[in-house]
mmCIF file of all heavy atoms in Angstrom:
data_model
loop_
_atom_site.group_PDB
_atom_site.id
_atom_site.type_symbol
_atom_site.label_atom_id
_atom_site.label_comp_id
_atom_site.label_asym_id
_atom_site.label_seq_id
_atom_site.Cartn_x
_atom_site.Cartn_y
_atom_site.Cartn_z
ATOM 1 N N ARG A 115 0.428 10.438 -8.801
ATOM 2 C CA ARG A 115 1.002 10.425 -7.440
ATOM 3 C C ARG A 115 2.299 11.244 -7.355
ATOM 4 O O ARG A 115 2.591 11.860 -6.344
ATOM 5 C CB ARG A 115 1.207 8.963 -7.032
ATOM 6 C CG ARG A 115 -0.105 8.264 -6.654
ATOM 7 C CD ARG A 115 0.132 6.763 -6.470
ATOM 8 N NE ARG A 115 1.088 6.462 -5.444
ATOM 9 C CZ ARG A 115 0.794 6.318 -4.159
ATOM 10 N NH1 ARG A 115 -0.486 6.469 -3.759
ATOM 11 N NH2 ARG A 115 1.722 5.983 -3.235
ATOM 12 N N GLY A 116 3.050 11.238 -8.451
ATOM 13 C CA GLY A 116 4.244 12.067 -8.462
ATOM 14 C C GLY A 116 3.947 13.538 -8.418
ATOM 15 O O GLY A 116 4.563 14.287 -7.715
ATOM 16 N N MET A 118 1.205 14.895 -7.303
ATOM 17 C CA MET A 118 0.696 15.198 -5.979
ATOM 18 C C MET A 118 1.784 15.441 -4.954
ATOM 19 O O MET A 118 1.738 16.350 -4.133
ATOM 20 C CB MET A 118 -0.193 14.048 -5.518
ATOM 21 C CG MET A 118 -0.801 14.164 -4.165
ATOM 22 S SD MET A 118 0.295 13.551 -2.810
ATOM 23 C CE MET A 118 0.468 11.818 -3.282
ATOM 24 N N ALA A 119 2.857 14.666 -5.006
ATOM 25 C CA ALA A 119 3.982 14.841 -4.107
ATOM 26 C C ALA A 119 4.582 16.163 -4.305
ATOM 27 O O ALA A 119 4.926 16.850 -3.319
ATOM 28 C CB ALA A 119 5.052 13.734 -4.362
ATOM 29 N N ALA A 138 16.886 10.465 2.860
ATOM 30 C CA ALA A 138 16.825 9.086 2.401
ATOM 31 C C ALA A 138 16.038 8.903 1.118
ATOM 32 O O ALA A 138 15.179 9.795 0.798
ATOM 33 C CB ALA A 138 16.224 8.157 3.519
ATOM 34 N N ASP A 139 16.359 7.884 0.383
ATOM 35 C CA ASP A 139 15.564 7.550 -0.845
ATOM 36 C C ASP A 139 14.572 6.491 -0.426
ATOM 37 O O ASP A 139 15.016 5.375 0.013
ATOM 38 C CB ASP A 139 16.505 7.024 -1.922
ATOM 39 C CG ASP A 139 15.775 6.723 -3.198
ATOM 40 O OD1 ASP A 139 14.596 7.087 -3.346
ATOM 41 O OD2 ASP A 139 16.414 6.057 -4.082
ATOM 42 N N TYR A 140 13.303 6.789 -0.478
ATOM 43 C CA TYR A 140 12.266 5.933 0.167
ATOM 44 C C TYR A 140 11.761 4.840 -0.789
ATOM 45 O O TYR A 140 11.253 3.832 -0.308
ATOM 46 C CB TYR A 140 11.113 6.785 0.671
ATOM 47 C CG TYR A 140 11.494 7.492 1.951
ATOM 48 C CD1 TYR A 140 12.223 8.667 1.953
ATOM 49 C CD2 TYR A 140 11.181 6.918 3.179
ATOM 50 C CE1 TYR A 140 12.587 9.308 3.152
ATOM 51 C CE2 TYR A 140 11.522 7.530 4.379
ATOM 52 C CZ TYR A 140 12.242 8.729 4.344
ATOM 53 O OH TYR A 140 12.612 9.301 5.499
ATOM 54 N N PHE A 141 11.854 5.053 -2.076
ATOM 55 C CA PHE A 141 11.216 4.062 -3.029
ATOM 56 C C PHE A 141 12.142 3.756 -4.183
ATOM 57 O O PHE A 141 12.812 4.650 -4.681
ATOM 58 C CB PHE A 141 9.907 4.622 -3.557
ATOM 59 C CG PHE A 141 8.920 5.011 -2.461
ATOM 60 C CD1 PHE A 141 8.798 6.351 -2.077
ATOM 61 C CD2 PHE A 141 8.233 4.034 -1.686
ATOM 62 C CE1 PHE A 141 7.893 6.735 -1.075
ATOM 63 C CE2 PHE A 141 7.371 4.442 -0.745
ATOM 64 C CZ PHE A 141 7.207 5.775 -0.408
ATOM 65 N N ALA A 142 12.164 2.495 -4.540
ATOM 66 C CA ALA A 142 13.094 2.018 -5.603
ATOM 67 C C ALA A 142 12.532 2.283 -6.996
ATOM 68 O O ALA A 142 13.258 2.353 -7.967
ATOM 69 C CB ALA A 142 13.378 0.537 -5.463
ATOM 70 N N ASP A 143 11.231 2.480 -7.121
ATOM 71 C CA ASP A 143 10.604 2.590 -8.387
ATOM 72 C C ASP A 143 10.453 4.010 -8.960
ATOM 73 O O ASP A 143 9.822 4.250 -9.991
ATOM 74 C CB ASP A 143 9.261 1.846 -8.469
ATOM 75 C CG ASP A 143 8.195 2.600 -7.624
ATOM 76 O OD1 ASP A 143 8.531 3.069 -6.504
ATOM 77 O OD2 ASP A 143 7.016 2.681 -8.071
ATOM 78 N N ASP A 144 10.994 5.001 -8.209
ATOM 79 C CA ASP A 144 10.821 6.398 -8.704
ATOM 80 C C ASP A 144 12.201 6.992 -9.112
ATOM 81 O O ASP A 144 12.340 8.203 -9.331
ATOM 82 C CB ASP A 144 10.169 7.285 -7.687
ATOM 83 C CG ASP A 144 10.994 7.404 -6.364
ATOM 84 O OD1 ASP A 144 12.028 6.748 -6.260
ATOM 85 O OD2 ASP A 144 10.636 8.213 -5.537
ATOM 86 N N SER A 145 13.208 6.134 -9.221
ATOM 87 C CA SER A 145 14.542 6.642 -9.555
ATOM 88 C C SER A 145 14.488 7.283 -10.940
ATOM 89 O O SER A 145 14.032 6.765 -11.942
ATOM 90 C CB SER A 145 15.543 5.458 -9.579
ATOM 91 O OG SER A 145 15.685 4.906 -8.294
ATOM 92 N N GLY A 146 15.008 8.553 -11.008
ATOM 93 C CA GLY A 146 15.055 9.235 -12.242
ATOM 94 C C GLY A 146 13.757 10.031 -12.512
ATOM 95 O O GLY A 146 13.746 10.823 -13.470
ATOM 96 N N ASP A 147 12.739 9.832 -11.742
ATOM 97 C CA ASP A 147 11.469 10.521 -11.926
ATOM 98 C C ASP A 147 11.679 11.967 -11.506
ATOM 99 O O ASP A 147 12.319 12.266 -10.482
ATOM 100 C CB ASP A 147 10.349 9.905 -11.111
ATOM 101 C CG ASP A 147 9.026 10.477 -11.487
ATOM 102 O OD1 ASP A 147 8.689 11.593 -11.076
ATOM 103 O OD2 ASP A 147 8.259 9.802 -12.174
ATOM 104 N N HIS A 149 9.789 13.923 -10.106
ATOM 105 C CA HIS A 149 9.181 14.227 -8.802
ATOM 106 C C HIS A 149 9.839 13.503 -7.606
ATOM 107 O O HIS A 149 9.431 13.591 -6.513
ATOM 108 C CB HIS A 149 7.682 13.839 -8.828
ATOM 109 C CG HIS A 149 6.922 14.561 -9.932
ATOM 110 N ND1 HIS A 149 6.635 15.878 -9.826
ATOM 111 C CD2 HIS A 149 6.346 14.104 -11.080
ATOM 112 C CE1 HIS A 149 5.926 16.262 -10.863
ATOM 113 N NE2 HIS A 149 5.771 15.236 -11.603
ATOM 114 N N GLU A 150 10.895 12.672 -7.931
ATOM 115 C CA GLU A 150 11.542 11.889 -6.856
ATOM 116 C C GLU A 150 11.933 12.686 -5.636
ATOM 117 O O GLU A 150 11.682 12.261 -4.499
ATOM 118 C CB GLU A 150 12.731 11.127 -7.397
ATOM 119 C CG GLU A 150 13.409 10.195 -6.364
ATOM 120 C CD GLU A 150 14.623 9.492 -6.917
ATOM 121 O OE1 GLU A 150 15.092 9.863 -8.002
ATOM 122 O OE2 GLU A 150 15.099 8.598 -6.190
ATOM 123 N N PRO A 151 12.612 13.854 -5.779
ATOM 124 C CA PRO A 151 13.006 14.594 -4.612
ATOM 125 C C PRO A 151 11.813 14.950 -3.704
ATOM 126 O O PRO A 151 11.851 14.920 -2.488
ATOM 127 C CB PRO A 151 13.709 15.840 -5.114
ATOM 128 C CG PRO A 151 14.177 15.394 -6.547
ATOM 129 C CD PRO A 151 13.151 14.461 -7.007
ATOM 130 N N ASN A 152 10.696 15.324 -4.340
ATOM 131 C CA ASN A 152 9.535 15.734 -3.565
ATOM 132 C C ASN A 152 8.808 14.542 -2.965
ATOM 133 O O ASN A 152 8.213 14.636 -1.919
ATOM 134 C CB ASN A 152 8.552 16.552 -4.450
ATOM 135 C CG ASN A 152 9.138 17.917 -4.784
ATOM 136 O OD1 ASN A 152 9.732 18.575 -3.936
ATOM 137 N ND2 ASN A 152 9.025 18.324 -6.045
ATOM 138 N N ILE A 153 8.841 13.378 -3.678
ATOM 139 C CA ILE A 153 8.331 12.201 -3.102
ATOM 140 C C ILE A 153 9.065 11.819 -1.814
ATOM 141 O O ILE A 153 8.464 11.516 -0.826
ATOM 142 C CB ILE A 153 8.455 10.994 -4.102
ATOM 143 C CG1 ILE A 153 7.473 11.263 -5.326
ATOM 144 C CG2 ILE A 153 8.114 9.705 -3.445
ATOM 145 C CD1 ILE A 153 7.730 10.317 -6.469
ATOM 146 N N ASN A 154 10.376 11.966 -1.832
ATOM 147 C CA ASN A 154 11.158 11.708 -0.623
ATOM 148 C C ASN A 154 10.816 12.652 0.478
ATOM 149 O O ASN A 154 10.786 12.285 1.684
ATOM 150 C CB ASN A 154 12.631 11.728 -0.910
ATOM 151 C CG ASN A 154 13.109 10.549 -1.768
ATOM 152 O OD1 ASN A 154 12.551 9.486 -1.736
ATOM 153 N ND2 ASN A 154 14.138 10.804 -2.595
ATOM 154 N N LEU A 155 10.585 13.929 0.119
ATOM 155 C CA LEU A 155 10.272 14.927 1.156
ATOM 156 C C LEU A 155 8.965 14.599 1.877
ATOM 157 O O LEU A 155 8.912 14.683 3.146
ATOM 158 C CB LEU A 155 10.130 16.350 0.500
ATOM 159 C CG LEU A 155 11.430 17.018 0.084
ATOM 160 C CD1 LEU A 155 11.084 18.317 -0.720
ATOM 161 C CD2 LEU A 155 12.297 17.372 1.266
ATOM 162 N N ILE A 156 7.925 14.257 1.104
ATOM 163 C CA ILE A 156 6.662 14.006 1.803
ATOM 164 C C ILE A 156 6.614 12.642 2.450
ATOM 165 O O ILE A 156 5.886 12.425 3.420
ATOM 166 C CB ILE A 156 5.412 14.213 0.899
ATOM 167 C CG1 ILE A 156 5.346 13.229 -0.265
ATOM 168 C CG2 ILE A 156 5.339 15.638 0.364
ATOM 169 C CD1 ILE A 156 4.065 13.197 -1.026
ATOM 170 N N ALA A 157 7.422 11.715 1.942
ATOM 171 C CA ALA A 157 7.548 10.420 2.618
ATOM 172 C C ALA A 157 8.193 10.555 3.979
ATOM 173 O O ALA A 157 7.743 10.017 4.958
ATOM 174 C CB ALA A 157 8.346 9.433 1.769
ATOM 175 N N GLN A 158 9.270 11.326 4.059
ATOM 176 C CA GLN A 158 9.977 11.515 5.320
ATOM 177 C C GLN A 158 9.039 12.305 6.309
ATOM 178 O O GLN A 158 9.137 12.047 7.538
ATOM 179 C CB GLN A 158 11.301 12.266 5.173
ATOM 180 C CG GLN A 158 12.052 12.450 6.455
ATOM 181 C CD GLN A 158 13.566 12.489 6.207
ATOM 182 O OE1 GLN A 158 14.152 11.814 5.419
ATOM 183 N NE2 GLN A 158 14.195 13.420 7.011
ATOM 184 N N ALA A 159 8.200 13.210 5.782
ATOM 185 C CA ALA A 159 7.340 13.963 6.620
ATOM 186 C C ALA A 159 6.145 13.154 7.134
ATOM 187 O O ALA A 159 5.372 13.571 7.956
ATOM 188 C CB ALA A 159 6.771 15.176 5.858
ATOM 189 N N GLY A 160 6.008 11.901 6.627
ATOM 190 C CA GLY A 160 4.916 11.062 7.024
ATOM 191 C C GLY A 160 3.613 11.330 6.310
ATOM 192 O O GLY A 160 2.536 10.783 6.716
ATOM 193 N N VAL A 161 3.668 12.048 5.250
ATOM 194 C CA VAL A 161 2.438 12.395 4.513
ATOM 195 C C VAL A 161 2.041 11.322 3.482
ATOM 196 O O VAL A 161 0.866 11.055 3.291
ATOM 197 C CB VAL A 161 2.622 13.753 3.765
ATOM 198 C CG1 VAL A 161 1.396 14.075 2.880
ATOM 199 C CG2 VAL A 161 2.744 14.877 4.831
ATOM 200 N N ALA A 162 3.035 10.710 2.884
ATOM 201 C CA ALA A 162 2.798 9.730 1.840
ATOM 202 C C ALA A 162 3.627 8.445 2.106
ATOM 203 O O ALA A 162 4.757 8.519 2.524
ATOM 204 C CB ALA A 162 3.078 10.246 0.500
ATOM 205 N N GLY A 163 2.982 7.310 1.882
ATOM 206 C CA GLY A 163 3.683 6.049 1.903
ATOM 207 C C GLY A 163 3.567 5.365 0.610
ATOM 208 O O GLY A 163 2.982 5.883 -0.348
ATOM 209 N N GLY A 164 4.113 4.207 0.524
ATOM 210 C CA GLY A 164 4.039 3.401 -0.727
ATOM 211 C C GLY A 164 2.732 2.607 -0.815
ATOM 212 O O GLY A 164 1.883 2.694 0.065
ATOM 213 N N THR A 165 2.621 1.869 -1.905
ATOM 214 C CA THR A 165 1.494 1.006 -2.074
ATOM 215 C C THR A 165 1.777 -0.357 -1.377
ATOM 216 O O THR A 165 2.851 -0.512 -0.714
ATOM 217 C CB THR A 165 1.258 0.761 -3.575
ATOM 218 O OG1 THR A 165 2.432 0.259 -4.179
ATOM 219 C CG2 THR A 165 0.901 2.024 -4.260
ATOM 220 N N ALA A 166 0.860 -1.270 -1.502
ATOM 221 C CA ALA A 166 0.917 -2.520 -0.718
ATOM 222 C C ALA A 166 2.216 -3.340 -1.051
ATOM 223 O O ALA A 166 2.722 -4.059 -0.198
ATOM 224 C CB ALA A 166 -0.265 -3.384 -0.972
ATOM 225 N N ASP A 167 2.734 -3.149 -2.244
ATOM 226 C CA ASP A 167 3.906 -3.873 -2.681
ATOM 227 C C ASP A 167 5.199 -3.106 -2.425
ATOM 228 O O ASP A 167 6.258 -3.539 -2.845
ATOM 229 C CB ASP A 167 3.792 -4.288 -4.156
ATOM 230 C CG ASP A 167 3.673 -3.056 -5.064
ATOM 231 O OD1 ASP A 167 3.755 -1.935 -4.593
ATOM 232 O OD2 ASP A 167 3.482 -3.281 -6.314
ATOM 233 N N GLY A 168 5.097 -1.957 -1.720
ATOM 234 C CA GLY A 168 6.316 -1.227 -1.353
ATOM 235 C C GLY A 168 6.750 -0.206 -2.370
ATOM 236 O O GLY A 168 7.753 0.467 -2.146
ATOM 237 N N ARG A 169 6.080 -0.166 -3.485
ATOM 238 C CA ARG A 169 6.401 0.840 -4.507
ATOM 239 C C ARG A 169 5.613 2.114 -4.317
ATOM 240 O O ARG A 169 4.660 2.137 -3.608
ATOM 241 C CB ARG A 169 6.178 0.293 -5.926
ATOM 242 C CG ARG A 169 7.118 -0.879 -6.235
ATOM 243 C CD ARG A 169 6.934 -1.361 -7.705
ATOM 244 N NE ARG A 169 5.660 -2.079 -7.872
ATOM 245 C CZ ARG A 169 5.190 -2.538 -9.048
ATOM 246 N NH1 ARG A 169 5.914 -2.276 -10.161
ATOM 247 N NH2 ARG A 169 4.108 -3.209 -9.137
ATOM 248 N N TYR A 170 6.075 3.202 -4.960
ATOM 249 C CA TYR A 170 5.361 4.435 -4.886
ATOM 250 C C TYR A 170 4.383 4.625 -6.061
ATOM 251 O O TYR A 170 3.348 5.239 -5.869
ATOM 252 C CB TYR A 170 6.340 5.674 -4.822
ATOM 253 C CG TYR A 170 5.558 6.940 -4.620
ATOM 254 C CD1 TYR A 170 5.105 7.274 -3.342
ATOM 255 C CD2 TYR A 170 5.348 7.812 -5.648
ATOM 256 C CE1 TYR A 170 4.345 8.385 -3.145
ATOM 257 C CE2 TYR A 170 4.641 8.979 -5.457
ATOM 258 C CZ TYR A 170 4.099 9.246 -4.226
ATOM 259 O OH TYR A 170 3.356 10.406 -4.009
ATOM 260 N N ARG A 171 4.777 4.152 -7.219
ATOM 261 C CA ARG A 171 3.918 4.302 -8.415
ATOM 262 C C ARG A 171 3.645 5.755 -8.737
ATOM 263 O O ARG A 171 2.513 6.231 -8.716
ATOM 264 C CB ARG A 171 2.670 3.533 -8.259
ATOM 265 C CG ARG A 171 2.799 2.004 -8.034
ATOM 266 C CD ARG A 171 1.482 1.296 -7.894
ATOM 267 N NE ARG A 171 1.699 -0.126 -7.624
ATOM 268 C CZ ARG A 171 1.859 -1.061 -8.535
ATOM 269 N NH1 ARG A 171 1.865 -0.703 -9.847
ATOM 270 N NH2 ARG A 171 2.004 -2.356 -8.227
ATOM 271 N N ALA A 172 4.723 6.500 -9.084
ATOM 272 C CA ALA A 172 4.563 7.945 -9.293
ATOM 273 C C ALA A 172 3.679 8.295 -10.449
ATOM 274 O O ALA A 172 3.079 9.344 -10.452
ATOM 275 C CB ALA A 172 5.977 8.494 -9.563
ATOM 276 N N PHE A 184 -3.906 11.835 2.311
ATOM 277 C CA PHE A 184 -2.744 12.655 2.151
ATOM 278 C C PHE A 184 -2.910 14.059 2.792
ATOM 279 O O PHE A 184 -2.069 14.517 3.497
ATOM 280 C CB PHE A 184 -2.333 12.809 0.672
ATOM 281 C CG PHE A 184 -1.860 11.556 -0.001
ATOM 282 C CD1 PHE A 184 -2.411 11.170 -1.230
ATOM 283 C CD2 PHE A 184 -0.931 10.728 0.596
ATOM 284 C CE1 PHE A 184 -1.936 10.017 -1.878
ATOM 285 C CE2 PHE A 184 -0.496 9.509 -0.041
ATOM 286 C CZ PHE A 184 -1.033 9.211 -1.264
ATOM 287 N N ARG A 187 -2.940 13.915 6.681
ATOM 288 C CA ARG A 187 -1.581 13.844 7.259
ATOM 289 C C ARG A 187 -0.872 15.165 7.166
ATOM 290 O O ARG A 187 -0.069 15.548 8.008
ATOM 291 C CB ARG A 187 -0.771 12.756 6.537
ATOM 292 C CG ARG A 187 -1.325 11.351 6.765
ATOM 293 C CD ARG A 187 -0.575 10.342 5.961
ATOM 294 N NE ARG A 187 -1.298 9.104 5.830
ATOM 295 C CZ ARG A 187 -1.522 8.343 4.742
ATOM 296 N NH1 ARG A 187 -0.968 8.809 3.575
ATOM 297 N NH2 ARG A 187 -2.200 7.280 4.704
#
Side-chain angles (χ1 to χ4, degrees):
R115 287 171 57 88
M118 178 273 300
D139 182 12
Y140 284 83
F141 305 101
D143 68 320
D144 64 353
S145 297
D147 190 284
H149 301 290
E150 181 183 12
N152 291 318
I153 293 169
N154 289 332
L155 286 174
I156 66 168
Q158 183 152 321
V161 172
T165 56
D167 59 5
R169 292 185 288 176
Y170 185 76
R171 300 182 182 272
F184 292 133
R187 296 176 196 134

